[in-house]
Amino acid sequence: MSLVLPPTAPAADAGGSGRLAAGPRRPLGRGERVTAAMAHHVLVYRRTWRGSVISRFLSPLFFLAAMGLGLGSLVDAGGGVGQSYLQFVVPGIIAYQGALLGFGDATYPVLGYIKWNRMYSATLATPLGVTDVLVGHLTVLAANLAVATAVFVAVAALFGAFASWWVLLAVPVGMLTGLAFAVPTFAVSATILTDNVFGVLYRFVLTPVLLFSGTFFPLEQLAGWLQPVAWVTPLWHGVVLARAAAAGEWPGAMGLVHLGVIALFIGVGWVVAHRAFSRRLLS
Protein backbone atom coordinates (compact mmCIF):
# COMPACT_ATOMS: atom_id res chain seq x y z
CA MET A 1 0.00 0.00 0.00
CA SER A 2 1.48 3.24 -1.10
CA LEU A 3 1.46 6.35 1.09
CA VAL A 4 -0.12 9.37 -0.60
CA LEU A 5 1.28 12.67 0.65
CA PRO A 6 -0.78 15.85 0.48
CA PRO A 7 0.47 18.48 -1.96
CA THR A 8 2.95 20.81 -0.38
CA ALA A 9 1.97 24.40 0.12
CA PRO A 10 3.72 26.80 -2.25
CA ALA A 11 6.55 28.82 -0.80
CA ALA A 12 5.73 32.33 0.28
CA ASP A 13 7.69 33.83 -2.59
CA ALA A 14 6.78 31.26 -5.19
CA GLY A 15 3.91 33.37 -6.40
CA GLY A 16 6.23 36.16 -7.39
CA SER A 17 4.84 38.66 -4.89
CA GLY A 18 7.89 38.69 -2.62
CA ARG A 19 11.21 40.36 -3.42
CA LEU A 20 13.07 37.02 -3.08
CA ALA A 21 11.10 35.38 -5.86
CA ALA A 22 12.77 34.51 -9.12
CA GLY A 23 12.28 36.79 -12.05
CA PRO A 24 11.94 40.53 -12.40
CA ARG A 25 11.34 42.43 -9.19
CA ARG A 26 8.96 45.31 -8.86
CA PRO A 27 10.60 48.63 -8.05
CA LEU A 28 10.66 49.73 -4.42
CA GLY A 29 7.96 52.20 -3.52
CA ARG A 30 8.75 55.58 -1.99
CA GLY A 31 7.68 54.37 1.45
CA GLU A 32 9.93 51.31 1.27
CA ARG A 33 12.92 53.37 0.18
CA VAL A 34 12.44 55.95 2.92
CA THR A 35 11.93 53.19 5.50
CA ALA A 36 15.19 51.59 4.38
CA ALA A 37 17.02 54.90 4.79
CA MET A 38 15.47 55.39 8.23
CA ALA A 39 16.44 51.87 9.33
CA HIS A 40 20.13 52.72 9.12
CA HIS A 41 19.81 55.79 11.34
CA VAL A 42 17.60 53.96 13.84
CA LEU A 43 20.17 51.17 14.09
CA VAL A 44 23.00 53.67 14.57
CA TYR A 45 21.03 55.53 17.25
CA ARG A 46 20.24 52.30 19.11
CA ARG A 47 23.98 51.70 19.36
CA THR A 48 25.05 55.25 20.21
CA TRP A 49 22.15 56.80 22.18
CA ARG A 50 24.07 56.68 25.46
CA GLY A 51 26.52 59.25 24.12
CA SER A 52 23.71 61.72 23.50
CA VAL A 53 22.03 61.51 26.89
CA ILE A 54 23.75 64.64 28.22
CA SER A 55 23.06 66.83 25.19
CA ARG A 56 19.50 65.63 24.62
CA PHE A 57 18.14 65.16 28.11
CA LEU A 58 20.43 66.40 30.87
CA SER A 59 21.58 69.69 29.33
CA PRO A 60 18.07 71.23 29.18
CA LEU A 61 17.47 70.05 32.74
CA PHE A 62 20.64 71.89 33.79
CA PHE A 63 19.18 75.03 32.21
CA LEU A 64 15.91 74.38 34.03
CA ALA A 65 17.68 74.14 37.37
CA ALA A 66 20.11 77.04 36.81
CA MET A 67 17.98 79.54 34.89
CA GLY A 68 14.46 78.58 35.93
CA LEU A 69 14.91 77.69 39.59
CA GLY A 70 18.18 79.41 40.54
CA LEU A 71 18.21 82.66 38.60
CA GLY A 72 14.40 82.65 38.53
CA SER A 73 14.16 83.10 42.29
CA LEU A 74 16.36 86.23 42.05
CA VAL A 75 14.42 87.63 39.10
CA ASP A 76 11.09 87.11 40.84
CA ALA A 77 12.43 88.74 44.01
CA GLY A 78 13.54 91.75 41.96
CA GLY A 79 10.19 92.41 40.36
CA GLY A 80 10.18 89.68 37.71
CA VAL A 81 9.03 89.79 34.11
CA GLY A 82 5.30 90.06 34.78
CA GLN A 83 4.95 86.36 35.55
CA SER A 84 6.88 83.60 37.27
CA TYR A 85 10.32 83.56 35.66
CA LEU A 86 10.24 79.75 35.71
CA GLN A 87 7.08 79.77 33.60
CA PHE A 88 8.61 82.45 31.39
CA VAL A 89 11.95 80.82 30.63
CA VAL A 90 11.15 77.11 30.46
CA PRO A 91 8.93 77.32 27.34
CA GLY A 92 11.74 79.28 25.73
CA ILE A 93 14.19 76.53 26.63
CA ILE A 94 11.94 74.06 24.76
CA ALA A 95 12.50 75.95 21.50
CA TYR A 96 16.14 76.64 22.44
CA GLN A 97 16.76 72.94 22.94
CA GLY A 98 15.18 72.10 19.60
CA ALA A 99 17.35 74.65 17.79
CA LEU A 100 20.52 73.42 19.47
CA LEU A 101 19.83 69.73 18.81
CA GLY A 102 18.71 70.35 15.23
CA PHE A 103 21.85 72.30 14.44
CA GLY A 104 24.13 69.79 16.14
CA ASP A 105 22.64 66.74 14.41
CA ALA A 106 22.98 68.41 11.01
CA THR A 107 26.67 69.26 11.28
CA TYR A 108 29.30 66.61 12.05
CA PRO A 109 27.03 63.55 11.52
CA VAL A 110 25.94 64.77 8.06
CA LEU A 111 29.44 65.77 6.97
CA GLY A 112 30.67 62.41 8.24
CA TYR A 113 28.15 60.56 6.08
CA ILE A 114 29.23 62.65 3.09
CA LYS A 115 32.99 62.80 3.51
CA TRP A 116 34.40 60.49 6.13
CA ASN A 117 32.54 57.19 5.92
CA ARG A 118 30.66 57.96 2.66
CA MET A 119 27.50 56.29 3.89
CA TYR A 120 25.34 58.50 1.69
CA SER A 121 27.32 57.50 -1.41
CA ALA A 122 26.97 53.83 -0.49
CA THR A 123 23.23 54.32 -0.05
CA LEU A 124 22.92 55.97 -3.45
CA ALA A 125 24.51 52.87 -5.02
CA THR A 126 21.25 51.10 -4.14
CA PRO A 127 17.81 51.91 -5.58
CA LEU A 128 17.53 54.80 -3.09
CA GLY A 129 17.77 58.36 -4.35
CA VAL A 130 18.75 61.70 -2.83
CA THR A 131 15.17 62.44 -1.81
CA ASP A 132 14.92 59.09 0.01
CA VAL A 133 18.22 59.71 1.81
CA LEU A 134 17.19 63.18 2.95
CA VAL A 135 13.64 62.27 3.95
CA GLY A 136 14.80 59.18 5.85
CA HIS A 137 17.49 61.03 7.80
CA LEU A 138 15.31 64.05 8.55
CA THR A 139 12.41 61.85 9.67
CA VAL A 140 14.58 60.09 12.24
CA LEU A 141 16.02 63.44 13.32
CA ALA A 142 12.49 64.83 13.75
CA ALA A 143 11.51 61.82 15.85
CA ASN A 144 14.57 62.34 18.07
CA LEU A 145 13.67 66.01 18.50
CA ALA A 146 10.10 65.12 19.43
CA VAL A 147 11.19 62.53 22.01
CA ALA A 148 13.78 64.83 23.59
CA THR A 149 11.26 67.69 23.78
CA ALA A 150 8.54 65.47 25.23
CA VAL A 151 10.87 64.16 27.95
CA PHE A 152 11.90 67.70 28.90
CA VAL A 153 8.27 68.87 29.00
CA ALA A 154 7.32 65.94 31.23
CA VAL A 155 10.15 66.63 33.69
CA ALA A 156 9.65 70.41 33.70
CA ALA A 157 5.94 69.92 34.39
CA LEU A 158 6.87 68.29 37.71
CA PHE A 159 8.39 71.63 38.78
CA GLY A 160 5.25 73.59 37.91
CA ALA A 161 6.85 75.21 34.86
CA PHE A 162 3.63 75.31 32.85
CA ALA A 163 0.25 76.88 33.48
CA SER A 164 -1.76 74.78 31.04
CA TRP A 165 -1.98 71.30 29.56
CA TRP A 166 -1.87 73.02 26.17
CA VAL A 167 1.89 72.85 26.71
CA LEU A 168 1.67 69.52 24.91
CA LEU A 169 1.54 71.59 21.72
CA ALA A 170 5.01 72.81 22.59
CA VAL A 171 6.34 69.36 21.64
CA PRO A 172 5.65 69.79 17.89
CA VAL A 173 6.75 73.41 18.19
CA GLY A 174 10.12 72.31 19.57
CA MET A 175 10.42 69.69 16.83
CA LEU A 176 9.61 72.17 14.04
CA THR A 177 11.99 74.75 15.49
CA GLY A 178 14.71 72.14 15.47
CA LEU A 179 13.98 71.26 11.84
CA ALA A 180 14.11 74.96 10.93
CA PHE A 181 17.74 74.89 12.02
CA ALA A 182 18.57 71.35 10.87
CA VAL A 183 17.39 71.43 7.26
CA PRO A 184 19.33 74.57 6.22
CA THR A 185 22.37 73.21 8.08
CA PHE A 186 22.10 70.01 6.00
CA ALA A 187 22.61 72.25 2.97
CA VAL A 188 25.66 73.89 4.55
CA SER A 189 27.17 70.52 5.47
CA ALA A 190 26.79 69.35 1.86
CA THR A 191 28.73 72.32 0.50
CA ILE A 192 31.76 72.54 2.78
CA LEU A 193 35.05 70.67 2.65
CA THR A 194 36.22 71.07 6.25
CA ASP A 195 34.49 70.93 9.61
CA ASN A 196 36.16 74.17 10.70
CA VAL A 197 33.13 75.94 9.26
CA PHE A 198 30.96 74.52 12.02
CA GLY A 199 32.98 76.34 14.69
CA VAL A 200 32.50 79.61 12.85
CA LEU A 201 28.77 79.01 12.47
CA TYR A 202 28.40 78.11 16.12
CA ARG A 203 30.30 81.16 17.43
CA PHE A 204 29.11 83.86 15.06
CA VAL A 205 25.65 82.67 13.96
CA LEU A 206 24.07 80.17 16.32
CA THR A 207 25.24 81.66 19.63
CA PRO A 208 23.98 85.22 18.90
CA VAL A 209 20.68 83.78 17.65
CA LEU A 210 20.29 81.73 20.82
CA LEU A 211 21.08 84.70 23.06
CA PHE A 212 18.95 87.31 21.31
CA SER A 213 15.81 85.31 20.63
CA GLY A 214 13.80 86.23 23.70
CA THR A 215 14.51 82.92 25.42
CA PHE A 216 15.98 84.27 28.64
CA PHE A 217 14.52 87.79 28.73
CA PRO A 218 11.69 89.64 26.98
CA LEU A 219 12.59 90.75 23.49
CA GLU A 220 11.45 94.28 24.41
CA GLN A 221 14.55 94.55 26.60
CA LEU A 222 16.73 94.53 23.48
CA ALA A 223 17.70 97.75 21.73
CA GLY A 224 15.12 98.77 19.17
CA TRP A 225 17.46 98.29 16.22
CA LEU A 226 18.31 94.76 17.39
CA GLN A 227 14.74 93.47 17.73
CA PRO A 228 14.14 93.03 13.96
CA VAL A 229 17.17 90.73 13.89
CA ALA A 230 15.33 88.38 16.24
CA TRP A 231 12.15 88.59 14.14
CA VAL A 232 13.84 86.98 11.15
CA THR A 233 15.19 84.01 13.11
CA PRO A 234 13.09 80.85 13.47
CA LEU A 235 14.02 80.52 17.14
CA TRP A 236 12.16 83.65 18.25
CA HIS A 237 9.00 82.43 16.49
CA GLY A 238 9.39 79.03 18.17
CA VAL A 239 9.87 80.69 21.55
CA VAL A 240 6.70 82.75 21.13
CA LEU A 241 4.65 79.72 20.11
CA ALA A 242 6.00 77.53 22.91
CA ARG A 243 5.35 80.29 25.45
CA ALA A 244 1.76 80.71 24.23
CA ALA A 245 1.16 76.95 24.43
CA ALA A 246 2.59 76.75 27.95
CA ALA A 247 0.31 79.56 29.08
CA GLY A 248 -2.74 78.10 27.33
CA GLU A 249 -3.14 81.24 25.23
CA TRP A 250 -4.35 81.21 21.63
CA PRO A 251 -1.79 83.14 19.57
CA GLY A 252 -4.41 84.20 17.03
CA ALA A 253 -3.47 85.13 13.49
CA MET A 254 0.08 85.84 14.57
CA GLY A 255 0.39 82.15 15.39
CA LEU A 256 0.03 81.40 11.68
CA VAL A 257 2.70 83.98 10.93
CA HIS A 258 5.07 82.35 13.41
CA LEU A 259 4.38 78.91 11.92
CA GLY A 260 4.78 80.33 8.43
CA VAL A 261 8.25 81.70 9.18
CA ILE A 262 9.35 78.36 10.66
CA ALA A 263 7.89 76.51 7.65
CA LEU A 264 9.67 78.93 5.32
CA PHE A 265 13.05 78.06 6.82
CA ILE A 266 12.27 74.34 6.51
CA GLY A 267 10.97 74.64 2.93
CA VAL A 268 13.75 76.84 1.58
CA GLY A 269 16.29 74.75 3.47
CA TRP A 270 14.88 71.60 1.85
CA VAL A 271 15.23 72.99 -1.67
CA VAL A 272 18.79 74.18 -1.07
CA ALA A 273 19.77 70.98 0.75
CA HIS A 274 18.37 68.76 -2.01
CA ARG A 275 20.32 70.67 -4.66
CA ALA A 276 23.49 70.62 -2.56
CA PHE A 277 23.22 66.89 -1.89
CA SER A 278 22.57 66.14 -5.58
CA ARG A 279 25.53 68.25 -6.68
CA ARG A 280 27.88 66.80 -4.04
CA LEU A 281 26.87 63.13 -4.20
CA LEU A 282 25.85 62.60 -7.82
CA SER A 283 28.51 64.62 -9.63
Side-chain angles (χ1 to χ4, degrees):
M1 180 177 179
S2 62
L3 180 62
V4 177
L5 297 176
T8 57
D13 290 323
S17 58
R19 298 197 58 78
L20 298 180
R25 300 174 182 173
R26 63 173 177 81
L28 289 172
R30 172 73 72 188
E32 292 172 307
R33 298 198 302 271
V34 171
T35 301
M38 292 171 57
H40 169 81
H41 298 287
V42 171
L43 179 61
V44 170
Y45 186 70
R46 287 177 60 186
R47 294 179 176 178
T48 61
W49 66 271
R50 295 175 183 83
S52 64
V53 166
I54 292 180
S55 62
R56 293 183 184 281
F57 303 108
L58 295 184
S59 179
L61 294 181
F62 293 157
F63 273 97
L64 167 67
M67 304 298 292
L69 301 176
L71 180 63
S73 61
L74 298 177
V75 173
D76 292 338
V81 292
Q83 65 180 114
S84 163
Y85 187 72
L86 178 67
Q87 295 186 349
F88 173 83
V89 75
V90 170
I93 294 176
I94 292 174
Y96 174 96
Q97 177 197 23
L100 205 58
L101 291 179
F103 176 81
D105 285 358
T107 53
Y108 292 97
V110 173
L111 184 60
Y113 285 143
I114 293 174
K115 181 178 180 180
W116 296 318
N117 61 24
R118 295 183 178 273
M119 192 281 289
Y120 286 146
S121 296
T123 303
L124 293 178
T126 70
L128 276 65
V130 170
T131 301
D132 309 316
V133 168
L134 276 174
V135 173
H137 195 164
L138 287 170
T139 301
V140 174
L141 192 155
N144 285 335
L145 287 170
V147 171
T149 304
V151 170
F152 176 67
V153 168
V155 175
L158 300 177
F159 293 89
F162 310 117
S164 169
W165 282 102
W166 285 107
V167 71
L168 295 176
L169 291 178
V171 175
V173 169
M175 181 193 69
L176 291 174
T177 304
L179 288 177
F181 281 82
V183 181
T185 308
F186 264 62
V188 174
S189 298
T191 58
I192 62 177
L193 298 178
T194 171
D195 59 344
N196 292 336
V197 176
F198 296 143
V200 175
L201 285 177
Y202 186 85
R203 291 183 180 90
F204 298 107
V205 178
L206 185 65
T207 300
V209 168
L210 295 178
L211 291 176
F212 301 117
S213 59
T215 301
F216 302 109
F217 53 85
L219 194 65
E220 293 74 17
Q221 298 297 320
L222 284 176
W225 63 271
L226 198 54
Q227 294 181 21
V229 177
W231 298 342
V232 296
T233 67
L235 180 55
W236 178 70
H237 298 276
V239 168
V240 173
L241 289 174
R243 200 161 278 153
E249 299 173 351
W250 173 244
M254 282 305 297
L256 298 178
V257 175
H258 297 311
L259 280 176
V261 173
I262 293 173
L264 182 65
F265 272 85
I266 296 174
V268 173
W270 166 263
V271 173
V272 178
H274 196 282
R275 290 180 179 176
F277 268 63
S278 299
R279 189 163 45 245
R280 182 77 177 265
L281 299 174
L282 301 180
S283 61

PDB file of all heavy atoms in Angstrom, residues 8 21 35 67 80 97 114 116 124 162 175 198 204 244 268 278 280:
ATOM      1  N   THR A   8       2.301  19.813  -1.231  1.00  0.00           N
ATOM      2  CA  THR A   8       2.955  20.806  -0.375  1.00  0.00           C
ATOM      3  C   THR A   8       2.463  22.195  -0.724  1.00  0.00           C
ATOM      4  O   THR A   8       2.145  22.504  -1.869  1.00  0.00           O
ATOM      5  CB  THR A   8       4.465  20.745  -0.569  1.00  0.00           C
ATOM      6  OG1 THR A   8       4.764  20.940  -1.954  1.00  0.00           O
ATOM      7  CG2 THR A   8       5.003  19.398  -0.133  1.00  0.00           C
ATOM      8  N   ALA A  21      11.554  36.287  -4.821  1.00  0.00           N
ATOM      9  CA  ALA A  21      11.099  35.379  -5.857  1.00  0.00           C
ATOM     10  C   ALA A  21      11.971  35.531  -7.103  1.00  0.00           C
ATOM     11  O   ALA A  21      12.572  36.574  -7.348  1.00  0.00           O
ATOM     12  CB  ALA A  21       9.641  35.675  -6.199  1.00  0.00           C
ATOM     13  N   THR A  35      11.814  54.063   4.322  1.00  0.00           N
ATOM     14  CA  THR A  35      11.934  53.195   5.501  1.00  0.00           C
ATOM     15  C   THR A  35      13.314  52.557   5.571  1.00  0.00           C
ATOM     16  O   THR A  35      13.918  52.440   6.655  1.00  0.00           O
ATOM     17  CB  THR A  35      10.862  52.096   5.459  1.00  0.00           C
ATOM     18  OG1 THR A  35       9.569  52.709   5.429  1.00  0.00           O
ATOM     19  CG2 THR A  35      10.958  51.197   6.677  1.00  0.00           C
ATOM     20  N   MET A  67      18.670  78.325  35.331  1.00  0.00           N
ATOM     21  CA  MET A  67      17.978  79.537  34.893  1.00  0.00           C
ATOM     22  C   MET A  67      16.573  79.637  35.486  1.00  0.00           C
ATOM     23  O   MET A  67      16.155  80.710  35.944  1.00  0.00           O
ATOM     24  CB  MET A  67      17.898  79.556  33.366  1.00  0.00           C
ATOM     25  CG  MET A  67      19.236  79.439  32.668  1.00  0.00           C
ATOM     26  SD  MET A  67      20.344  80.809  33.054  1.00  0.00           S
ATOM     27  CE  MET A  67      19.512  82.160  32.249  1.00  0.00           C
ATOM     28  N   GLY A  80      10.583  90.645  38.699  1.00  0.00           N
ATOM     29  CA  GLY A  80      10.176  89.680  37.713  1.00  0.00           C
ATOM     30  C   GLY A  80       9.925  90.249  36.331  1.00  0.00           C
ATOM     31  O   GLY A  80      10.261  91.399  36.020  1.00  0.00           O
ATOM     32  N   GLN A  97      16.233  74.302  23.018  1.00  0.00           N
ATOM     33  CA  GLN A  97      16.756  72.937  22.944  1.00  0.00           C
ATOM     34  C   GLN A  97      16.579  72.366  21.543  1.00  0.00           C
ATOM     35  O   GLN A  97      17.482  71.730  21.000  1.00  0.00           O
ATOM     36  CB  GLN A  97      16.047  72.050  23.963  1.00  0.00           C
ATOM     37  CG  GLN A  97      16.491  70.590  23.903  1.00  0.00           C
ATOM     38  CD  GLN A  97      15.512  69.673  24.613  1.00  0.00           C
ATOM     39  OE1 GLN A  97      14.339  70.020  24.778  1.00  0.00           O
ATOM     40  NE2 GLN A  97      15.971  68.523  25.044  1.00  0.00           N
ATOM     41  N   ILE A 114      28.851  62.212   4.433  1.00  0.00           N
ATOM     42  CA  ILE A 114      29.226  62.653   3.087  1.00  0.00           C
ATOM     43  C   ILE A 114      30.705  62.391   2.811  1.00  0.00           C
ATOM     44  O   ILE A 114      31.073  61.867   1.762  1.00  0.00           O
ATOM     45  CB  ILE A 114      28.925  64.157   2.918  1.00  0.00           C
ATOM     46  CG1 ILE A 114      27.406  64.403   2.951  1.00  0.00           C
ATOM     47  CG2 ILE A 114      29.522  64.690   1.619  1.00  0.00           C
ATOM     48  CD1 ILE A 114      27.027  65.867   2.936  1.00  0.00           C
ATOM     49  N   TRP A 116      33.498  61.371   5.401  1.00  0.00           N
ATOM     50  CA  TRP A 116      34.405  60.490   6.134  1.00  0.00           C
ATOM     51  C   TRP A 116      34.073  59.009   5.959  1.00  0.00           C
ATOM     52  O   TRP A 116      34.971  58.212   5.709  1.00  0.00           O
ATOM     53  CB  TRP A 116      34.410  60.887   7.612  1.00  0.00           C
ATOM     54  CG  TRP A 116      34.960  62.260   7.820  1.00  0.00           C
ATOM     55  CD1 TRP A 116      36.049  62.804   7.197  1.00  0.00           C
ATOM     56  CD2 TRP A 116      34.439  63.277   8.679  1.00  0.00           C
ATOM     57  NE1 TRP A 116      36.237  64.102   7.610  1.00  0.00           N
ATOM     58  CE2 TRP A 116      35.280  64.421   8.535  1.00  0.00           C
ATOM     59  CE3 TRP A 116      33.357  63.354   9.558  1.00  0.00           C
ATOM     60  CZ2 TRP A 116      35.059  65.602   9.223  1.00  0.00           C
ATOM     61  CZ3 TRP A 116      33.144  64.524  10.250  1.00  0.00           C
ATOM     62  CH2 TRP A 116      33.990  65.638  10.091  1.00  0.00           C
ATOM     63  N   LEU A 124      23.357  55.610  -2.105  1.00  0.00           N
ATOM     64  CA  LEU A 124      22.917  55.972  -3.451  1.00  0.00           C
ATOM     65  C   LEU A 124      23.335  54.941  -4.495  1.00  0.00           C
ATOM     66  O   LEU A 124      22.904  55.030  -5.650  1.00  0.00           O
ATOM     67  CB  LEU A 124      23.485  57.350  -3.815  1.00  0.00           C
ATOM     68  CG  LEU A 124      22.914  58.509  -2.994  1.00  0.00           C
ATOM     69  CD1 LEU A 124      23.574  59.820  -3.384  1.00  0.00           C
ATOM     70  CD2 LEU A 124      21.405  58.615  -3.188  1.00  0.00           C
ATOM     71  N   PHE A 162       4.641  74.998  33.856  1.00  0.00           N
ATOM     72  CA  PHE A 162       3.630  75.315  32.848  1.00  0.00           C
ATOM     73  C   PHE A 162       2.295  75.605  33.529  1.00  0.00           C
ATOM     74  O   PHE A 162       1.958  74.995  34.546  1.00  0.00           O
ATOM     75  CB  PHE A 162       3.472  74.161  31.860  1.00  0.00           C
ATOM     76  CG  PHE A 162       4.785  73.680  31.288  1.00  0.00           C
ATOM     77  CD1 PHE A 162       5.221  72.376  31.525  1.00  0.00           C
ATOM     78  CD2 PHE A 162       5.587  74.527  30.544  1.00  0.00           C
ATOM     79  CE1 PHE A 162       6.424  71.937  31.019  1.00  0.00           C
ATOM     80  CE2 PHE A 162       6.797  74.098  30.033  1.00  0.00           C
ATOM     81  CZ  PHE A 162       7.224  72.792  30.271  1.00  0.00           C
ATOM     82  N   MET A 175       9.936  70.515  17.941  1.00  0.00           N
ATOM     83  CA  MET A 175      10.418  69.689  16.825  1.00  0.00           C
ATOM     84  C   MET A 175      10.571  70.529  15.558  1.00  0.00           C
ATOM     85  O   MET A 175      11.590  70.457  14.860  1.00  0.00           O
ATOM     86  CB  MET A 175       9.451  68.539  16.572  1.00  0.00           C
ATOM     87  CG  MET A 175       9.868  67.613  15.450  1.00  0.00           C
ATOM     88  SD  MET A 175       8.536  66.513  14.945  1.00  0.00           S
ATOM     89  CE  MET A 175       7.405  67.674  14.164  1.00  0.00           C
ATOM     90  N   PHE A 198      31.962  74.669  10.961  1.00  0.00           N
ATOM     91  CA  PHE A 198      30.961  74.517  12.021  1.00  0.00           C
ATOM     92  C   PHE A 198      31.304  75.383  13.236  1.00  0.00           C
ATOM     93  O   PHE A 198      30.407  75.922  13.879  1.00  0.00           O
ATOM     94  CB  PHE A 198      30.851  73.048  12.434  1.00  0.00           C
ATOM     95  CG  PHE A 198      30.346  72.151  11.344  1.00  0.00           C
ATOM     96  CD1 PHE A 198      30.854  70.868  11.191  1.00  0.00           C
ATOM     97  CD2 PHE A 198      29.372  72.590  10.463  1.00  0.00           C
ATOM     98  CE1 PHE A 198      30.383  70.043  10.181  1.00  0.00           C
ATOM     99  CE2 PHE A 198      28.898  71.764   9.442  1.00  0.00           C
ATOM    100  CZ  PHE A 198      29.418  70.489   9.311  1.00  0.00           C
ATOM    101  N   PHE A 204      29.530  82.570  15.604  1.00  0.00           N
ATOM    102  CA  PHE A 204      29.110  83.857  15.058  1.00  0.00           C
ATOM    103  C   PHE A 204      27.684  83.879  14.521  1.00  0.00           C
ATOM    104  O   PHE A 204      27.181  84.935  14.140  1.00  0.00           O
ATOM    105  CB  PHE A 204      30.079  84.277  13.947  1.00  0.00           C
ATOM    106  CG  PHE A 204      31.487  84.467  14.437  1.00  0.00           C
ATOM    107  CD1 PHE A 204      32.475  83.543  14.137  1.00  0.00           C
ATOM    108  CD2 PHE A 204      31.817  85.554  15.230  1.00  0.00           C
ATOM    109  CE1 PHE A 204      33.773  83.706  14.604  1.00  0.00           C
ATOM    110  CE2 PHE A 204      33.106  85.736  15.704  1.00  0.00           C
ATOM    111  CZ  PHE A 204      34.090  84.808  15.395  1.00  0.00           C
ATOM    112  N   ALA A 244       3.222  80.618  24.303  1.00  0.00           N
ATOM    113  CA  ALA A 244       1.757  80.707  24.231  1.00  0.00           C
ATOM    114  C   ALA A 244       1.121  79.371  24.595  1.00  0.00           C
ATOM    115  O   ALA A 244       0.111  79.323  25.316  1.00  0.00           O
ATOM    116  CB  ALA A 244       1.332  81.141  22.828  1.00  0.00           C
ATOM    117  N   VAL A 268      12.605  76.330   2.342  1.00  0.00           N
ATOM    118  CA  VAL A 268      13.752  76.837   1.576  1.00  0.00           C
ATOM    119  C   VAL A 268      14.988  75.990   1.857  1.00  0.00           C
ATOM    120  O   VAL A 268      15.769  75.668   0.946  1.00  0.00           O
ATOM    121  CB  VAL A 268      14.007  78.319   1.921  1.00  0.00           C
ATOM    122  CG1 VAL A 268      15.292  78.811   1.254  1.00  0.00           C
ATOM    123  CG2 VAL A 268      12.824  79.180   1.483  1.00  0.00           C
ATOM    124  N   SER A 278      22.492  66.682  -4.210  1.00  0.00           N
ATOM    125  CA  SER A 278      22.567  66.141  -5.578  1.00  0.00           C
ATOM    126  C   SER A 278      23.881  66.524  -6.231  1.00  0.00           C
ATOM    127  O   SER A 278      24.530  65.702  -6.896  1.00  0.00           O
ATOM    128  CB  SER A 278      21.380  66.674  -6.403  1.00  0.00           C
ATOM    129  OG  SER A 278      20.149  66.267  -5.837  1.00  0.00           O
ATOM    130  N   ARG A 280      26.709  67.363  -4.744  1.00  0.00           N
ATOM    131  CA  ARG A 280      27.877  66.800  -4.036  1.00  0.00           C
ATOM    132  C   ARG A 280      27.972  65.285  -4.228  1.00  0.00           C
ATOM    133  O   ARG A 280      29.077  64.739  -4.395  1.00  0.00           O
ATOM    134  CB  ARG A 280      27.753  67.113  -2.548  1.00  0.00           C
ATOM    135  CG  ARG A 280      28.928  66.617  -1.679  1.00  0.00           C
ATOM    136  CD  ARG A 280      30.128  67.498  -1.813  1.00  0.00           C
ATOM    137  NE  ARG A 280      31.235  67.099  -0.952  1.00  0.00           N
ATOM    138  CZ  ARG A 280      31.473  67.615   0.260  1.00  0.00           C
ATOM    139  NH1 ARG A 280      30.676  68.567   0.737  1.00  0.00           N
ATOM    140  NH2 ARG A 280      32.510  67.223   0.957  1.00  0.00           N
TER     141      ARG A 280
END
